Amino acid sequence: MSQPSLATVRGVAELRAQVRAWKAAGQSVALIPTMGALHEGHLSLIRLGRQRADRTVASIFVNPKQFAPHEDFDAYPRGEAHDAELLASVGCDLLYAPTGAAMYAPGFATAIQVGGVSEPLEGAARPQFFGGVATVVAKLLIQAEPDVAVFGEKDYQQLRVIQRLARDLDLPVEILGAPTARDADGVALSSRNAYLTPAERAAAVALPRALAEAARAVAAGGRVDSVEAAAVTALAAAGFGPIDYVEVREAGDLSRLGPGPIGAASARILAAAKLGKTRLIDNMAVG
Ligand code: PAF
């Protein structure tokens, strides 16, 4: 089925001209930043953007600054034409797809570091990651001047880092989190699931199962240390390894909870582990 083609801009001037024209006509604008390789999870972010604003802009930019040299920047799946069709199919209004040179012009020398919430978990496992994310997201928000920007709770720590960034820099944008989209068996949708072999994809279901069981046990008053250890054991038994972390954290600033029961604290359980060559992350609310 052919979809209407999606207007695409590659430069900041064109992007701002369109966003400012919409705003001058009294319309609000949502930005949904992505790295492409779009799936139903991304499309759910666009749908939320459409509920919350009159116009939606999706960006596609595989951001080199958030990949370490040994990570999958070169192999990261790319397919702008197909992504544009998917975006058009859910009513996205504009695609912003800047080139690397446009985003990071020669001499680019600025880096944004968000302290605190970006330091544990992914920040400890991938030390370059949140600096790269914060720098590119700050640029995208400044470039697009949206009223609302939508990020998936699948990358829960990233969502919290970006909310901190927007607050700290007084960026005039509301940062919205969208619930994680999952396959029927509970596995969180991710562009990196494409790397899994069929056997690994079948084993991946152990991750949401371990997190759901851990979240239930913590909410029922279980000790954080024993619940985390049980989740690690379940993941290892399913073939995950190495396991970077399975941790129960305060839901807002991601500070450590436990080792005993969490009492009335609002909590999130987060995990990252490798399955074969693919590193998977997932998280769930406790209670
Ligand atoms: O979540 C992602 O796809 C990326 O980290 C983001 C937010 C688009 C920044 O490059």
Side-chain angles (χ1 to χ4, degrees):
M1 189 180 64
S2 76
Q3 300 291 346
S5 67
L6 180 63
T8 301
V9 292
R10 303 200 186 272
V12 182
E14 288 169 282
L15 170 67
R16 281 205 186 129
Q18 179 59 85
V19 169
R20 287 178 183 179
W22 283 329
K23 287 188 173 179
Q27 296 182 326
S28 57
V29 177
L31 174 71
I32 296 89
T34 82
M35 297 205 302
L38 302 183
H39 49 65
E40 180 52 36
H42 297 105
L43 302 186
S44 71
L45 307 185
I46 305 286
R47 288 191 197 98
L48 181 59
R50 291 193 71 203
Q51 284 168 23
R52 297 297 294 262
D54 300 310
R55 296 288 185 171
T56 51
V57 179
S59 65
I60 295 181
F61 180 65
V62 185
N63 174 33
K65 289 193 183 292
Q66 67 191 73
F67 292 79
H70 66 277
E71 292 181 342
D72 56 344
F73 175 71
D74 289 331
Y76 199 84
R78 290 163 172 88
E80 187 185 302
H82 180 59
D83 287 343
E85 278 178 29
L86 290 176
L87 291 169
S89 75
V90 290
C92 180
D93 294 294
L94 183 68
L95 170 59
Y96 174 47
T99 61
M103 202 56 141
Y104 299 121
F108 186 91
T110 299
I112 296 193
Q113 288 294 338
V114 179
V117 67
S118 75
E119 287 162 13
L121 307 170
E122 288 303 285
R126 304 176 67 195
Q128 80 301 325
F129 179 65
F130 284 123
V133 167
T135 302
V136 82
V137 170
K139 275 182 73 80
L140 290 167
L141 294 174
I142 290 165
Q143 291 173 337
E145 304 174 334
D147 301 286
V148 171
V150 188
F151 297 85
E153 285 183 355
K154 157 78 168 47
D155 297 294
Y156 187 80
Q157 189 178 8
Q158 169 175 277
L159 170 65
R160 289 303 194 194
V161 168
I162 292 167
Q163 286 173 330
R164 182 79 263 162
L165 165 87
R167 265 202 301 278
D168 288 355
L169 298 184
D170 301 312
L171 298 177
V173 59
E174 183 187 0
I175 306 295
L176 281 181
T180 303
R182 296 182 180 277
D183 269 332
D185 64 357
V187 172
L189 299 187
S190 165
S191 307
R192 289 189 169 105
N193 290 354
Y195 300 151
L196 297 170
T197 65
E200 288 165 353
R201 176 61 190 77
V205 71
L207 180 54
R209 281 192 188 150
L211 289 179
E213 170 54 24
R216 189 204 56 73
V218 172
R223 288 186 60 84
V224 165
D225 51 4
S226 44
V227 168
E228 289 174 350
V232 167
T233 303
L235 290 178
F240 280 83
I243 295 163
D244 285 341
Y245 56 82
V246 179
E247 289 186 17
V248 176
R249 296 258 167 179
E250 201 283 325
D253 63 9
L254 298 184
S255 56
R256 199 78 177 91
L257 292 175
I262 62 166
S266 165
R268 198 96 188 173
I269 180 157
L270 305 98
K274 268 192 150 180
L275 189 54
K277 293 190 170 128
T278 309
R279 186 170 180 276
L280 298 180
I281 67 170
D282 199 354
N283 69 87
M284 285 184 193
V286 173

